[in-house]
Amino acid sequence: MLFSSITGSCLMALASVSVAEKIPDNHILWGAKGRPTTLQARQAATSTNAAASTTSKVADAACTNGPFTRTCWSNGFSAATDFDAKWPTTGKTVSYNFELTNGTCNPDGSAGGGRPCQMFNNQFPGPTITANWGDTISVTLTNKLETNGTGIHWHGIRQLKTVSQDGVPGITECPLAPGKSKTYTFLATQFGTTWYHSHFSAQYGDGATGSIVINGPASSNYDIDLGAFPLTDWYYGTSWAVGVQSHNNLQRGAAPPPADTILINGTNVSGGGGKYSKTSNLIPGKKYRLRLINTSVDNTLRVSLDGHPLTVITSDLVPIKPWTTNWILIAIGQRYDVVFTATKENAGKNFWLRVNYASQCPSSGNVSPKAQGIFSYQNAADANPDSTQYVEPTDCVEPIANLVPWVKNTVDSTAFVNQVGSLDVDISSPGVNTNGQNIVVWGVNLSAINVEWEKPTLQYVKDKNTNYPSTFNLIEIPKENTWSYWIVQEPLNTRVPIPHPIHLHGHDFYVLGNGAGVFNKSTSPSTLKYDNPARRDTAFLPGGGWLAIAFPADNPGAWLMHCHIAWHVADGLAVQFLEAKDQIPLGDAAWDQTCSEWNTFQATMPFPKSDSGLKLLKGRAEWA
Ligand SMILES: *[C@@H]1O[C@H](CO)[C@@H](O)[C@H](O)[C@H]1NC(C)=O
Ligand SMILES: *[C@@H]1O[C@H](CO)[C@@H](O)[C@H](O)[C@H]1NC(C)=O
Ligand SMILES: *[C@@H]1O[C@H](CO)[C@@H](O)[C@H](O)[C@H]1NC(C)=O
Ligand SMILES: *[C@@H]1O[C@H](CO)[C@@H](O)[C@H](O)[C@H]1NC(C)=O
Ligand SMILES: *[C@@H]1O[C@H](CO)[C@@H](O)[C@H](O)[C@H]1NC(C)=O
Ligand SMILES: *[C@@H]1O[C@H](CO)[C@@H](O)[C@H](O)[C@H]1NC(C)=O
Ligand SMILES: CC(=O)N[C@H]1CO[C@H](CO)[C@@H](O)[C@@H]1O
């Protein structure tokens, strides 16, 4: 089906084409080849990591995790395990209680005295969820707001056969009404670093985010895990207000308002006070793991630690072959875990960690906020660092070629190659279409998505109602248990030719390639990489260009694919798709109850829905 035109700017035309290839049920296909099993050498002689289960320098028969054996986990599970196919069964559940509260926050002590915030347990960033690979995570959420609904999305979590836990109001659930509670339960089939955030309108930009750390193996050794390190742009106005401004700007072809500052691990200095993020007591000879998460609303960030090259060991929740860089560019929603070594030469000193707005990847105009945090060795003076910055790159390129998954997988290209040449879809025009087989073309200049809070897509599925409003931007993937190939295309004459971080729910995807201009059916396919391509859940669509991705359609559900720039979801940068519609696990009685509670609330809701329901504010009339 074809969706009509769009409005604004992150307006891309996502052209998605989905091609199908049979995937064996046992997933053997994914990872049968050449997995690295060797352990990496490292220098430190002892460990201070309390989580380590062994200090042995070689892997034991069970492959037990420790500072010298980080590729191991336990019971034979390791970084070489294909986590799409298997994971440990711990039988353990880690439980959290979150209350979404209405308060004020002032993370950088700005002179204005803070702003209204919506936060989990009155904290910003919210509490970090910590679990082990194979645990069940259970979060009971109570909505303590008076006037807004809510819902939590667990970014990057596969939700295998648990789509009703994905936390997307209007697609996988009704919003949670004020005063009500619900429990999300899902299995940690993956490990690494990710985050959660409200997916109710623009709420996450008002503070409703937090980190998730799932302990597991790693592709590099390290001694000390410094934990989650969220980085974000920050506005002194509320998300609701900035969203309206952003949308209005878009209508006249202007950039969204710039962020007021950048927060490093939740803090910055400001004219009114505030403090630097400080990480203390680095010990010479030790290796540290730092989990960088970009939870921005609108801005791409570039990160560097003076005097310390960063060894990158993950792309999102995927362990990769370690590679070393002085600067790493992180798009919204992306995560990179890095390892650095505290050296003898640097002993006793302080160093700047730099987070710069990547002005080469502009979204919000010509403003370049920067922020710095401090990394400080044992016995260092209590003073600001005088360290020297590494030369900052001037590109805006995702380092795809360096993101080589540790577990080697090959994307079966047969169906794509067979179908792409005769693709009867105009890639350059707005719309989302399939070729009836395995290819989806998403021409990004769609009309804005508009979900129905009171009747989410999964309710339509439950009712066997296929009469989806066209504003759902919904397609069905024609074939299941096969590869789905998507070509996402931004219009050439887009008003805002900026890169868009495209995020997929329910799957990691393989990044086959990207390029400038329109995807060319005859010449572009030969430029794609099928042999162990980068794999992640959020990737750049170049401004005015195309992105080709593939994923195994092995997870029945209603899933969202969208630009993670918060303002762009309702500006036409979001589609949803049904996968294996007849096998979707439907909501249970508790799920139904959340809907009936919401419907009761919505009847008298003080603030009528004024946006897509997922992100940005938008005048209702525009979709009508
Ligand atoms: C938060 O509290 C303020 C002040 O009481 C109130 O005006 C506002 O509606 C509340 N917002 C929500 C979302 O509950
Ligand atoms: C944030 O902190 C940096 C230093 O880390 C400072 O230069 C910048 O001005 C701060 N931002 C604001 C808005 O004050
Ligand atoms: C980030 O902030 C938290 C809370 O203040 C702190 O416990 C943690 O150590 C900080 N992380 C790093 C790497 O500095
Ligand atoms: C976060 O993502 C945004 C948007 O892609 C980007 O502008 C910003 O530089 C990223 N932040 C980091 C720390 O990479
Ligand atoms: C996107 O759609 C809008 C509304 O239909 C149209 O005005 C605009 O020209 C389109 N932009 C592109 C780049 O196709
Ligand atoms: C695709 O590339 C071929 C070979 O360079 C060229 O002849 C053709 O015009 C291109 N097609 C489009 C739609 O640009
Ligand atoms: C969608 C929705 O309910 N938004 C409201 C959330 O609450 C703020 C006030 O705190 C309103 O301004 C929004 O309209």
Side-chain angles (χ1 to χ4, degrees), residues 108 110 234 236 259-264 267-273 275-277 352-353 355 369-373:
D108 67 343
S110 75
W234 188 250
Y236 296 153
D260 293 299
T261 190
I262 291 172
L263 302 179
I264 298 181
T267 182
N268 194 9
V269 297
S270 74
K275 62 179 170 67
Y276 289 112
S277 156
W352 289 119
L353 174 104
V355 181
K370 295 181 177 198
Q372 287 160 224

Side-chain angles (χ1 to χ4, degrees), residues 20-358:
E21 202 48 32
K22 255 309 184 205
I23 295 168
D25 284 349
N26 59 11
H27 291 262
I28 290 305
L29 190 91
W30 307 116
K33 296 195 208 160
R35 296 182 191 156
T37 51
T38 49
L39 299 165
Q40 312 236 310
R42 56 161 306 292
Q43 302 105 21
T46 58
S47 165
T48 58
N49 187 340
S53 8
T54 175
T55 52
S56 159
K57 293 203 177 183
V58 291
D60 58 17
C63 199
T64 304
N65 188 267
F68 303 94
T69 56
R70 292 291 179 201
T71 56
C72 282
W73 186 235
S74 63
N75 296 323
F77 288 93
S78 73
T81 303
D82 182 351
F83 55 82
D84 264 356
K86 58 179 199 156
W87 45 84
T89 312
T90 65
K92 275 206 216 120
T93 299
V94 296
S95 300
Y96 289 85
N97 284 309
F98 285 1
E99 290 186 343
L100 185 67
T101 50
N102 179 18
T104 54
C105 66
N106 191 7
D108 67 343
S110 75
R115 45 160 287 189
C117 280
Q118 301 178 352
M119 296 167 285
F120 296 110
N121 295 355
N122 220 23
Q123 294 171 36
F124 172 76
T128 297
I129 292 176
T130 308
N132 286 335
W133 188 20
D135 285 353
T136 294
I137 296 174
S138 171
V139 181
T140 298
L141 170 65
T142 302
N143 184 0
K144 294 282 199 182
L145 305 179
E146 300 142 58
T147 57
N148 290 58
T150 193
I152 306 181
H153 172 58
W154 320 94
H155 185 110
I157 298 285
R158 188 177 173 202
Q159 299 292 3
L160 183 63
K161 312 237 158 80
T162 51
V163 62
S164 64
Q165 308 302 300
D166 198 40
V168 188
I171 296 184
T172 67
E173 64 182 18
C174 293
L176 184 64
K180 304 299 179 190
S181 300
K182 72 174 284 182
T183 301
Y184 292 93
T185 305
F186 51 90
L187 191 62
T189 61
Q190 305 134 289
F191 52 88
T193 308
T194 188
W195 60 305
Y196 59 86
H197 60 84
S198 167
H199 225 303
F200 180 85
S201 291
Q203 202 166 57
Y204 93 79
D206 283 335
T209 71
S211 305
I212 303 178
V213 172
I214 303 169
N215 295 311
S219 60
S220 164
N221 286 330
Y222 56 88
D223 296 289
I224 294 160
D225 188 346
L226 292 169
F229 205 63
L231 309 167
T232 189
D233 50 16
W234 188 250
Y235 296 78
Y236 296 153
T238 64
S239 236
W240 311 99
V242 177
V244 172
Q245 216 185 328
S246 164
H247 182 71
N248 291 344
N249 287 5
L250 207 59
Q251 294 307 298
R252 47 184 182 82
D260 293 299
T261 190
I262 291 172
L263 302 179
I264 298 181
N265 200 16
T267 182
N268 194 9
V269 297
S270 74
K275 62 179 170 67
Y276 289 112
S277 156
K278 189 159 184 186
T279 309
S280 305
N281 281 322
L282 299 181
I283 305 166
K286 295 288 182 193
K287 284 187 163 212
Y288 291 85
R289 174 179 185 163
L290 186 63
R291 300 162 181 268
L292 304 171
I293 313 174
N294 184 348
T295 69
S296 282
V297 172
D298 193 38
N299 293 288
T300 299
L301 308 174
R302 218 191 279 283
V303 183
S304 172
L305 176 57
D306 290 355
H308 298 80
L310 303 173
T311 296
V312 185
I313 64 169
T314 65
S315 57
D316 301 338
L317 287 173
V318 178
I320 61 172
K321 271 176 70 178
W323 62 285
T324 300
T325 181
N326 291 338
W327 284 92
I328 178 87
L329 182 73
I330 318 182
I332 299 176
Q334 292 185 332
R335 289 87 63 208
Y336 290 107
D337 286 15
V338 297
V339 170
F340 67 87
T341 303
T343 62
K344 296 208 163 59
E345 303 79 72
N346 287 333
K349 296 185 191 150
N350 295 309
F351 293 87
W352 289 119
L353 174 104
R354 300 179 193 268
V355 181
N356 291 354
Y357 171 87

